[in-house]
mmCIF file of all heavy atoms in Angstrom:
data_model
loop_
_atom_site.group_PDB
_atom_site.id
_atom_site.type_symbol
_atom_site.label_atom_id
_atom_site.label_comp_id
_atom_site.label_asym_id
_atom_site.label_seq_id
_atom_site.Cartn_x
_atom_site.Cartn_y
_atom_site.Cartn_z
ATOM 1 N N TYR A 1333 -4.265 -2.834 -6.946
ATOM 2 C CA TYR A 1333 -4.881 -2.209 -5.759
ATOM 3 C C TYR A 1333 -3.915 -1.251 -5.069
ATOM 4 O O TYR A 1333 -4.344 -0.266 -4.438
ATOM 5 C CB TYR A 1333 -5.378 -3.296 -4.796
ATOM 6 C CG TYR A 1333 -6.648 -3.942 -5.319
ATOM 7 C CD1 TYR A 1333 -6.613 -5.239 -5.846
ATOM 8 C CD2 TYR A 1333 -7.845 -3.237 -5.323
ATOM 9 C CE1 TYR A 1333 -7.776 -5.832 -6.368
ATOM 10 C CE2 TYR A 1333 -8.989 -3.827 -5.840
ATOM 11 C CZ TYR A 1333 -8.946 -5.116 -6.375
ATOM 12 O OH TYR A 1333 -10.091 -5.665 -6.898
ATOM 13 N N ALA A 1334 -2.609 -1.475 -5.209
ATOM 14 C CA ALA A 1334 -1.633 -0.531 -4.681
ATOM 15 C C ALA A 1334 -1.731 0.806 -5.393
ATOM 16 O O ALA A 1334 -1.635 1.882 -4.775
ATOM 17 C CB ALA A 1334 -0.205 -1.084 -4.811
ATOM 18 N N GLU A 1335 -1.956 0.758 -6.721
ATOM 19 C CA GLU A 1335 -2.123 2.008 -7.489
ATOM 20 C C GLU A 1335 -3.393 2.730 -7.056
ATOM 21 O O GLU A 1335 -3.406 3.949 -6.860
ATOM 22 C CB GLU A 1335 -2.159 1.720 -8.995
ATOM 23 C CG GLU A 1335 -0.798 1.436 -9.590
ATOM 24 C CD GLU A 1335 -0.840 1.434 -11.105
ATOM 25 O OE1 GLU A 1335 -1.736 0.771 -11.670
ATOM 26 O OE2 GLU A 1335 0.026 2.069 -11.723
ATOM 27 N N SER A 1336 -4.474 1.980 -6.870
ATOM 28 C CA SER A 1336 -5.769 2.606 -6.523
ATOM 29 C C SER A 1336 -5.734 3.150 -5.091
ATOM 30 O O SER A 1336 -6.396 4.145 -4.826
ATOM 31 C CB SER A 1336 -6.918 1.593 -6.690
ATOM 32 O OG SER A 1336 -6.794 0.537 -5.758
ATOM 33 N N LYS A 1337 -4.957 2.517 -4.211
ATOM 34 C CA LYS A 1337 -4.875 2.996 -2.817
ATOM 35 C C LYS A 1337 -3.684 3.897 -2.584
ATOM 36 O O LYS A 1337 -3.438 4.354 -1.446
ATOM 37 C CB LYS A 1337 -4.782 1.784 -1.858
ATOM 38 C CG LYS A 1337 -6.008 0.875 -1.874
ATOM 39 C CD LYS A 1337 -5.769 -0.327 -0.951
ATOM 40 C CE LYS A 1337 -6.931 -1.285 -0.953
ATOM 41 N NZ LYS A 1337 -6.700 -2.441 -0.057
ATOM 42 N N GLN A 1338 -2.882 4.140 -3.626
ATOM 43 C CA GLN A 1338 -1.672 4.969 -3.565
ATOM 44 C C GLN A 1338 -0.695 4.418 -2.474
ATOM 45 O O GLN A 1338 -0.146 5.191 -1.692
ATOM 46 C CB GLN A 1338 -2.026 6.409 -3.290
ATOM 47 C CG GLN A 1338 -2.854 7.047 -4.413
ATOM 48 C CD GLN A 1338 -3.144 8.521 -4.186
ATOM 49 O OE1 GLN A 1338 -3.262 8.968 -3.051
ATOM 50 N NE2 GLN A 1338 -3.229 9.257 -5.258
ATOM 51 N N HIS A 1339 -0.518 3.122 -2.479
ATOM 52 C CA HIS A 1339 0.419 2.526 -1.541
ATOM 53 C C HIS A 1339 1.865 2.836 -1.968
ATOM 54 O O HIS A 1339 2.196 2.759 -3.147
ATOM 55 C CB HIS A 1339 0.212 1.001 -1.517
ATOM 56 C CG HIS A 1339 -0.926 0.578 -0.643
ATOM 57 N ND1 HIS A 1339 -1.374 -0.723 -0.545
ATOM 58 C CD2 HIS A 1339 -1.706 1.278 0.215
ATOM 59 C CE1 HIS A 1339 -2.369 -0.798 0.304
ATOM 60 N NE2 HIS A 1339 -2.614 0.397 0.792
ATOM 61 N N LEU A 1340 2.697 3.092 -0.990
ATOM 62 C CA LEU A 1340 4.067 3.490 -1.248
ATOM 63 C C LEU A 1340 4.952 2.351 -1.684
ATOM 64 O O LEU A 1340 5.988 2.571 -2.337
ATOM 65 C CB LEU A 1340 4.648 4.180 0.004
ATOM 66 C CG LEU A 1340 3.991 5.498 0.425
ATOM 67 C CD1 LEU A 1340 4.638 6.013 1.700
ATOM 68 C CD2 LEU A 1340 4.111 6.535 -0.681
ATOM 69 N N TRP A 1341 4.587 1.114 -1.314
ATOM 70 C CA TRP A 1341 5.481 0.009 -1.642
ATOM 71 C C TRP A 1341 5.660 -0.140 -3.159
ATOM 72 O O TRP A 1341 6.724 -0.609 -3.629
ATOM 73 C CB TRP A 1341 4.972 -1.309 -1.055
ATOM 74 C CG TRP A 1341 3.725 -1.883 -1.682
ATOM 75 C CD1 TRP A 1341 2.456 -1.753 -1.198
ATOM 76 C CD2 TRP A 1341 3.632 -2.694 -2.849
ATOM 77 N NE1 TRP A 1341 1.567 -2.427 -2.008
ATOM 78 C CE2 TRP A 1341 2.271 -3.041 -3.034
ATOM 79 C CE3 TRP A 1341 4.557 -3.200 -3.758
ATOM 80 C CZ2 TRP A 1341 1.808 -3.813 -4.102
ATOM 81 C CZ3 TRP A 1341 4.112 -3.974 -4.813
ATOM 82 C CH2 TRP A 1341 2.765 -4.282 -4.964
ATOM 83 N N LEU A 1342 4.670 0.242 -3.935
ATOM 84 C CA LEU A 1342 4.758 0.133 -5.380
ATOM 85 C C LEU A 1342 5.887 1.008 -5.936
ATOM 86 O O LEU A 1342 6.490 0.652 -6.968
ATOM 87 C CB LEU A 1342 3.418 0.465 -6.037
ATOM 88 C CG LEU A 1342 3.257 0.104 -7.509
ATOM 89 C CD1 LEU A 1342 3.473 -1.388 -7.743
ATOM 90 C CD2 LEU A 1342 1.868 0.488 -8.009
ATOM 91 N N GLN A 1343 6.160 2.119 -5.259
ATOM 92 C CA GLN A 1343 7.264 2.970 -5.697
ATOM 93 C C GLN A 1343 8.634 2.330 -5.437
ATOM 94 O O GLN A 1343 9.608 2.691 -6.072
ATOM 95 C CB GLN A 1343 7.191 4.328 -4.975
ATOM 96 C CG GLN A 1343 5.907 5.092 -5.250
ATOM 97 C CD GLN A 1343 5.803 6.353 -4.407
ATOM 98 O OE1 GLN A 1343 6.823 6.841 -3.889
ATOM 99 N NE2 GLN A 1343 4.604 6.886 -4.266
ATOM 100 N N ARG A 1344 8.655 1.364 -4.523
ATOM 101 C CA ARG A 1344 9.923 0.665 -4.204
ATOM 102 C C ARG A 1344 10.100 -0.575 -5.081
ATOM 103 O O ARG A 1344 11.188 -1.133 -5.122
ATOM 104 C CB ARG A 1344 9.925 0.226 -2.736
ATOM 105 C CG ARG A 1344 9.533 1.296 -1.749
ATOM 106 C CD ARG A 1344 10.652 2.259 -1.468
ATOM 107 N NE ARG A 1344 10.319 3.131 -0.347
ATOM 108 C CZ ARG A 1344 9.768 4.338 -0.465
ATOM 109 N NH1 ARG A 1344 9.487 4.808 -1.670
ATOM 110 N NH2 ARG A 1344 9.503 5.064 0.595
ATOM 111 N N LEU A 1345 9.044 -0.988 -5.763
ATOM 112 C CA LEU A 1345 9.127 -2.202 -6.585
ATOM 113 C C LEU A 1345 9.862 -1.917 -7.884
ATOM 114 O O LEU A 1345 9.496 -1.038 -8.630
ATOM 115 C CB LEU A 1345 7.677 -2.680 -6.908
ATOM 116 C CG LEU A 1345 7.573 -3.976 -7.698
ATOM 117 C CD1 LEU A 1345 8.122 -5.164 -6.939
ATOM 118 C CD2 LEU A 1345 6.117 -4.233 -8.108
ATOM 119 N N SER A 1346 10.920 -2.705 -8.116
ATOM 120 C CA SER A 1346 11.718 -2.489 -9.319
ATOM 121 C C SER A 1346 11.507 -3.582 -10.360
ATOM 122 O O SER A 1346 11.555 -3.296 -11.579
ATOM 123 C CB SER A 1346 13.208 -2.418 -8.964
ATOM 124 O OG SER A 1346 13.641 -3.632 -8.378
ATOM 125 N N SER A 1347 11.280 -4.835 -9.920
ATOM 126 C CA SER A 1347 11.205 -5.950 -10.885
ATOM 127 C C SER A 1347 10.233 -7.020 -10.401
ATOM 128 O O SER A 1347 10.108 -7.259 -9.202
ATOM 129 C CB SER A 1347 12.570 -6.589 -11.091
ATOM 130 O OG SER A 1347 13.568 -5.645 -11.404
ATOM 131 N N VAL A 1348 9.588 -7.659 -11.367
ATOM 132 C CA VAL A 1348 8.734 -8.825 -11.107
ATOM 133 C C VAL A 1348 9.008 -9.887 -12.154
ATOM 134 O O VAL A 1348 9.058 -9.583 -13.345
ATOM 135 C CB VAL A 1348 7.225 -8.458 -11.166
ATOM 136 C CG1 VAL A 1348 6.358 -9.712 -10.984
ATOM 137 C CG2 VAL A 1348 6.867 -7.419 -10.093
ATOM 138 N N VAL A 1349 9.221 -11.120 -11.700
ATOM 139 C CA VAL A 1349 9.417 -12.249 -12.620
ATOM 140 C C VAL A 1349 8.262 -13.208 -12.459
ATOM 141 O O VAL A 1349 7.979 -13.681 -11.345
ATOM 142 C CB VAL A 1349 10.728 -12.999 -12.331
ATOM 143 C CG1 VAL A 1349 10.904 -14.150 -13.318
ATOM 144 C CG2 VAL A 1349 11.935 -12.046 -12.416
ATOM 145 N N PHE A 1350 7.532 -13.457 -13.541
ATOM 146 C CA PHE A 1350 6.430 -14.407 -13.561
ATOM 147 C C PHE A 1350 6.939 -15.757 -14.031
ATOM 148 O O PHE A 1350 7.601 -15.859 -15.059
ATOM 149 C CB PHE A 1350 5.311 -13.960 -14.512
ATOM 150 C CG PHE A 1350 4.678 -12.642 -14.186
ATOM 151 C CD1 PHE A 1350 4.727 -11.554 -15.061
ATOM 152 C CD2 PHE A 1350 4.009 -12.456 -12.967
ATOM 153 C CE1 PHE A 1350 4.135 -10.357 -14.765
ATOM 154 C CE2 PHE A 1350 3.397 -11.237 -12.665
ATOM 155 C CZ PHE A 1350 3.450 -10.189 -13.574
ATOM 156 N N LEU A 1351 6.568 -16.822 -13.303
ATOM 157 C CA LEU A 1351 6.936 -18.173 -13.705
ATOM 158 C C LEU A 1351 5.657 -18.958 -13.996
ATOM 159 O O LEU A 1351 4.922 -19.332 -13.080
ATOM 160 C CB LEU A 1351 7.715 -18.890 -12.577
ATOM 161 C CG LEU A 1351 8.966 -18.208 -12.040
ATOM 162 C CD1 LEU A 1351 9.584 -19.041 -10.909
ATOM 163 C CD2 LEU A 1351 9.976 -17.979 -13.123
ATOM 164 N N GLY A 1352 5.368 -19.212 -15.270
ATOM 165 C CA GLY A 1352 4.198 -19.999 -15.629
ATOM 166 C C GLY A 1352 2.902 -19.434 -15.084
ATOM 167 O O GLY A 1352 2.024 -20.194 -14.649
ATOM 168 N N THR A 1353 2.721 -18.130 -15.157
ATOM 169 C CA THR A 1353 1.474 -17.483 -14.668
ATOM 170 C C THR A 1353 0.414 -17.487 -15.763
ATOM 171 O O THR A 1353 0.671 -17.002 -16.855
ATOM 172 C CB THR A 1353 1.772 -16.058 -14.222
ATOM 173 O OG1 THR A 1353 2.624 -16.088 -13.082
ATOM 174 C CG2 THR A 1353 0.477 -15.329 -13.875
ATOM 175 N N PRO A 1354 -0.807 -17.981 -15.480
ATOM 176 C CA PRO A 1354 -1.874 -17.996 -16.495
ATOM 177 C C PRO A 1354 -2.581 -16.646 -16.606
ATOM 178 O O PRO A 1354 -3.722 -16.489 -16.185
ATOM 179 C CB PRO A 1354 -2.828 -19.087 -15.961
ATOM 180 C CG PRO A 1354 -2.670 -19.016 -14.469
ATOM 181 C CD PRO A 1354 -1.204 -18.648 -14.222
ATOM 182 N N HIS A 1355 -1.900 -15.682 -17.223
ATOM 183 C CA HIS A 1355 -2.436 -14.310 -17.290
ATOM 184 C C HIS A 1355 -3.761 -14.213 -17.989
ATOM 185 O O HIS A 1355 -4.585 -13.365 -17.659
ATOM 186 C CB HIS A 1355 -1.404 -13.402 -17.973
ATOM 187 C CG HIS A 1355 -0.131 -13.208 -17.205
ATOM 188 N ND1 HIS A 1355 -0.081 -12.514 -16.021
ATOM 189 C CD2 HIS A 1355 1.125 -13.643 -17.448
ATOM 190 C CE1 HIS A 1355 1.154 -12.503 -15.563
ATOM 191 N NE2 HIS A 1355 1.920 -13.185 -16.416
ATOM 192 N N VAL A 1356 -3.981 -15.034 -19.005
ATOM 193 C CA VAL A 1356 -5.264 -14.981 -19.716
ATOM 194 C C VAL A 1356 -6.066 -16.260 -19.496
ATOM 195 O O VAL A 1356 -6.973 -16.582 -20.264
ATOM 196 C CB VAL A 1356 -5.072 -14.709 -21.234
ATOM 197 C CG1 VAL A 1356 -4.479 -13.332 -21.445
ATOM 198 C CG2 VAL A 1356 -4.182 -15.759 -21.898
ATOM 199 N N GLY A 1357 -5.752 -16.999 -18.432
ATOM 200 C CA GLY A 1357 -6.551 -18.153 -18.095
ATOM 201 C C GLY A 1357 -5.824 -19.479 -18.183
ATOM 202 O O GLY A 1357 -4.819 -19.592 -18.881
ATOM 203 N N ALA A 1358 -6.364 -20.455 -17.447
ATOM 204 C CA ALA A 1358 -5.805 -21.805 -17.425
ATOM 205 C C ALA A 1358 -6.786 -22.787 -18.077
ATOM 206 O O ALA A 1358 -7.910 -22.923 -17.615
ATOM 207 C CB ALA A 1358 -5.526 -22.232 -15.987
ATOM 208 N N PRO A 1359 -6.409 -23.436 -19.159
ATOM 209 C CA PRO A 1359 -7.312 -24.348 -19.875
ATOM 210 C C PRO A 1359 -7.859 -25.451 -19.004
ATOM 211 O O PRO A 1359 -8.990 -25.896 -19.210
ATOM 212 C CB PRO A 1359 -6.433 -24.931 -20.988
ATOM 213 C CG PRO A 1359 -5.382 -23.880 -21.217
ATOM 214 C CD PRO A 1359 -5.112 -23.292 -19.873
ATOM 215 N N LEU A 1360 -7.088 -25.935 -18.005
ATOM 216 C CA LEU A 1360 -7.557 -27.017 -17.162
ATOM 217 C C LEU A 1360 -8.858 -26.646 -16.449
ATOM 218 O O LEU A 1360 -9.809 -27.421 -16.413
ATOM 219 C CB LEU A 1360 -6.504 -27.407 -16.149
ATOM 220 C CG LEU A 1360 -6.784 -28.678 -15.325
ATOM 221 C CD1 LEU A 1360 -6.901 -29.884 -16.246
ATOM 222 C CD2 LEU A 1360 -5.698 -28.880 -14.277
ATOM 223 N N GLU A 1361 -8.938 -25.417 -15.915
ATOM 224 C CA GLU A 1361 -10.151 -24.968 -15.264
ATOM 225 C C GLU A 1361 -11.249 -24.721 -16.298
ATOM 226 O O GLU A 1361 -12.438 -24.977 -16.064
ATOM 227 C CB GLU A 1361 -9.908 -23.693 -14.445
ATOM 228 C CG GLU A 1361 -11.147 -22.916 -14.011
ATOM 229 C CD GLU A 1361 -12.153 -23.744 -13.221
ATOM 230 O OE1 GLU A 1361 -11.801 -24.822 -12.684
ATOM 231 O OE2 GLU A 1361 -13.336 -23.330 -13.153
ATOM 232 N N GLN A 1362 -10.890 -24.235 -17.489
ATOM 233 C CA GLN A 1362 -11.889 -24.036 -18.540
ATOM 234 C C GLN A 1362 -12.491 -25.367 -18.969
ATOM 235 O O GLN A 1362 -13.717 -25.494 -19.142
ATOM 236 C CB GLN A 1362 -11.233 -23.322 -19.726
ATOM 237 C CG GLN A 1362 -10.804 -21.908 -19.397
ATOM 238 C CD GLN A 1362 -9.837 -21.326 -20.429
ATOM 239 O OE1 GLN A 1362 -9.648 -21.894 -21.501
ATOM 240 N NE2 GLN A 1362 -9.261 -20.192 -20.113
ATOM 241 N N TRP A 1363 -11.651 -26.406 -19.109
ATOM 242 C CA TRP A 1363 -12.161 -27.724 -19.474
ATOM 243 C C TRP A 1363 -13.044 -28.303 -18.370
ATOM 244 O O TRP A 1363 -14.060 -28.931 -18.631
ATOM 245 C CB TRP A 1363 -10.997 -28.682 -19.752
ATOM 246 C CG TRP A 1363 -10.149 -28.266 -20.913
ATOM 247 C CD1 TRP A 1363 -10.516 -27.506 -21.968
ATOM 248 C CD2 TRP A 1363 -8.776 -28.592 -21.130
ATOM 249 N NE1 TRP A 1363 -9.447 -27.319 -22.836
ATOM 250 C CE2 TRP A 1363 -8.378 -27.967 -22.345
ATOM 251 C CE3 TRP A 1363 -7.828 -29.347 -20.426
ATOM 252 C CZ2 TRP A 1363 -7.093 -28.092 -22.856
ATOM 253 C CZ3 TRP A 1363 -6.536 -29.456 -20.926
ATOM 254 C CH2 TRP A 1363 -6.182 -28.835 -22.138
ATOM 255 N N GLY A 1364 -12.634 -28.089 -17.104
ATOM 256 C CA GLY A 1364 -13.445 -28.550 -15.993
ATOM 257 C C GLY A 1364 -14.809 -27.885 -15.987
ATOM 258 O O GLY A 1364 -15.817 -28.523 -15.676
ATOM 259 N N HIS A 1365 -14.858 -26.616 -16.361
ATOM 260 C CA HIS A 1365 -16.106 -25.873 -16.401
ATOM 261 C C HIS A 1365 -17.051 -26.498 -17.459
ATOM 262 O O HIS A 1365 -18.241 -26.686 -17.211
ATOM 263 C CB HIS A 1365 -15.829 -24.422 -16.723
ATOM 264 C CG HIS A 1365 -17.029 -23.552 -16.804
ATOM 265 N ND1 HIS A 1365 -17.869 -23.358 -15.716
ATOM 266 C CD2 HIS A 1365 -17.558 -22.819 -17.813
ATOM 267 C CE1 HIS A 1365 -18.852 -22.532 -16.064
ATOM 268 N NE2 HIS A 1365 -18.680 -22.185 -17.335
ATOM 269 N N TRP A 1366 -16.517 -26.824 -18.634
ATOM 270 C CA TRP A 1366 -17.333 -27.434 -19.667
ATOM 271 C C TRP A 1366 -17.708 -28.864 -19.348
ATOM 272 O O TRP A 1366 -18.776 -29.338 -19.715
ATOM 273 C CB TRP A 1366 -16.640 -27.319 -21.021
ATOM 274 C CG TRP A 1366 -16.737 -25.932 -21.565
ATOM 275 C CD1 TRP A 1366 -15.753 -25.001 -21.634
ATOM 276 C CD2 TRP A 1366 -17.925 -25.295 -22.069
ATOM 277 N NE1 TRP A 1366 -16.227 -23.815 -22.147
ATOM 278 C CE2 TRP A 1366 -17.576 -23.955 -22.421
ATOM 279 C CE3 TRP A 1366 -19.229 -25.705 -22.236
ATOM 280 C CZ2 TRP A 1366 -18.474 -23.058 -22.929
ATOM 281 C CZ3 TRP A 1366 -20.150 -24.794 -22.755
ATOM 282 C CH2 TRP A 1366 -19.783 -23.492 -23.092
ATOM 283 N N ALA A 1367 -16.826 -29.588 -18.654
ATOM 284 C CA ALA A 1367 -17.149 -30.931 -18.226
ATOM 285 C C ALA A 1367 -18.341 -30.907 -17.283
ATOM 286 O O ALA A 1367 -19.258 -31.747 -17.335
ATOM 287 C CB ALA A 1367 -15.947 -31.603 -17.554
ATOM 288 N N GLU A 1368 -18.356 -29.906 -16.392
ATOM 289 C CA GLU A 1368 -19.487 -29.739 -15.490
ATOM 290 C C GLU A 1368 -20.782 -29.475 -16.264
ATOM 291 O O GLU A 1368 -21.830 -30.024 -15.959
ATOM 292 C CB GLU A 1368 -19.196 -28.559 -14.550
ATOM 293 C CG GLU A 1368 -20.323 -28.147 -13.648
ATOM 294 C CD GLU A 1368 -20.086 -26.778 -13.048
ATOM 295 O OE1 GLU A 1368 -18.940 -26.416 -12.801
ATOM 296 O OE2 GLU A 1368 -21.094 -26.074 -12.833
#
């Protein structure tokens, strides 16, 4: 959304570290969906 709104803070951002981020989904919620 910073790119789409042309926010300036994104130009100051140099690094991002992800810790255990479910970028393509979390199986626990997927299993809960099928249990439902």
Side-chain angles (χ1 to χ4, degrees):
Y1333 286 106
E1335 283 191 313
S1336 65
K1337 297 177 182 179
Q1338 297 183 329
H1339 279 174
L1340 295 177
W1341 71 262
L1342 192 57
Q1343 299 175 19
R1344 311 282 190 266
L1345 182 65
S1346 60
S1347 307
V1348 175
V1349 180
F1350 299 119
L1351 306 178
T1353 294
H1355 293 291
V1356 295
L1360 188 62
E1361 165 56 19
Q1362 294 165 10
W1363 296 336
H1365 181 61
W1366 283 106
E1368 173 196 328

